[in-house]
Amino acid sequence: MSRNARAAYESGEMPWSKWTKGAMLEAARELDQAGDKMPALEKLTAPALRCLLLENSSWHHTSSRYNATNFYRVNEDLFTWEPAEFAEAVERAQERAKQDKQEKTETAGETTQKGRFRWLTWAGTRNHPKAVEHVLERAVVTIRGRFYHVKDEKGNDVVRKMVGSNGTEFTPAA
């Protein structure tokens, strides 16, 4: 973690996945001077709270490979809104969270197709990586959630790859 990422944690910013319901409610209590918004916030689920409260504040390098990670903070302007505006925002956040959940469950369906499957694996060293291309002409591919589960024509497991990952391509048989 970079120094700037540590400073962001200390100033109340965190990555999306680190914002638990308790952490969001605690930050909201500090910002809600009048205390009139807390009853509505406490009834929301964690995904709805994230949709309502969090705003992208910055990004920082994390890990030894300098990955870029977005950091979020609680939107302070939300606590200055009128009660009617705030109630509408709460309702929209609940709807957005429901839509996100529905999209995830719809994509969790399972389909199986035959076709050509191409993917990359990496060999070599960290300083001199080398991409090795693999092609399976008659693959049986099951799309389960966000992953390809690939078997050869005999039914042997070959590989599991994320849909849309770099170097991964599936062409269904005609």
Side-chain angles (χ1 to χ4, degrees), residues 72-87:
Y72 296 84
R73 69 172 172 225
V74 174
N75 183 355
E76 296 175 11
D77 296 337
L78 189 67
F79 295 94
T80 62
W81 292 3
E82 295 296 321
E85 282 180 291
F86 184 77

Side-chain angles (χ1 to χ4, degrees), residues 8-14 18-35 37-38 41-42 49-50 52-55 72-80 86:
Y9 268 107
E10 290 170 7
S11 70
E13 299 176 23
M14 291 187 279
K18 301 288 184 188
W19 281 103
T20 62
K21 183 174 180 176
M24 288 182 281
L25 290 175
E26 183 180 326
R29 272 189 203 94
E30 292 174 12
L31 295 171
D32 188 17
Q33 300 296 328
K37 297 183 175 48
M38 287 310 297
L41 293 176
E42 289 170 348
L49 276 172
R50 284 188 192 103
L52 176 67
L53 293 177
L54 299 184
E55 66 180 358
Y72 296 84
R73 69 172 172 225
V74 174
N75 183 355
E76 296 175 11
D77 296 337
L78 189 67
F79 295 94
T80 62
F86 184 77

Side-chain angles (χ1 to χ4, degrees), residues 101-115:
K101 184 177 181 180
Q102 185 177 4
E103 287 173 7
K104 284 180 184 176
T105 55
E106 286 173 1
T107 59
E110 188 174 303
T111 60
T112 302
Q113 296 178 324
K114 293 181 180 180

